[in-house]
Amino acid sequence: MDTKYEFGHDEQGNIFLIDEIHTPDSSRYWIKKTYDERYANRQEPENIDKEFLRLWFKEHCDPYKDKVLPDAPGSL
């Protein structure tokens, strides 16, 4: 798993967790069963997060330069 945590603090210096944790939006989860083989073959690991959608757009357009993006697939 690769995840991020976002913290903030108030005027008294108390530290707070300020964002969601361990969700597909804040974390990347990889399928353990196929990870080693795919890594050895220099393939993207199978995942269960939103990374698949980023990869799909990367293959079908340039989301940073294209003014109009293709419709995202309903399923992959």
Side-chain angles (χ1 to χ4, degrees):
M1 175 175 72
D2 173 27
T3 195
K4 67 176 181 171
Y5 299 99
E6 295 184 28
F7 297 92
H9 62 85
D10 64 14
E11 296 80 21
Q12 291 78 38
N14 297 306
I15 297 174
F16 293 93
L17 180 65
I18 60 171
D19 203 357
E20 86 277 350
I21 61 170
H22 302 161
T23 68
D25 189 42
S26 66
S27 304
R28 291 185 183 106
Y29 298 95
W30 297 294
I31 307 297
K32 183 178 181 179
K33 183 177 180 180
T34 60
Y35 183 87
D36 289 335
E37 180 181 348
R38 292 181 68 86
Y39 182 81
N41 291 317
R42 296 185 174 162
Q43 296 175 310
E44 287 285 333
E46 291 181 289
N47 56 64
I48 50 173
D49 57 21
K50 68 180 185 180
E51 186 65 14
F52 75 93
L53 197 54
R54 287 189 189 112
L55 295 173
W56 186 90
F57 275 103
K58 183 179 174 183
E59 292 175 11
H60 294 88
C61 64
D62 184 340
Y64 298 102
K65 294 181 180 177
D66 294 348
K67 291 182 179 182
V68 177
L69 301 180
D71 290 338
S75 64
L76 295 176

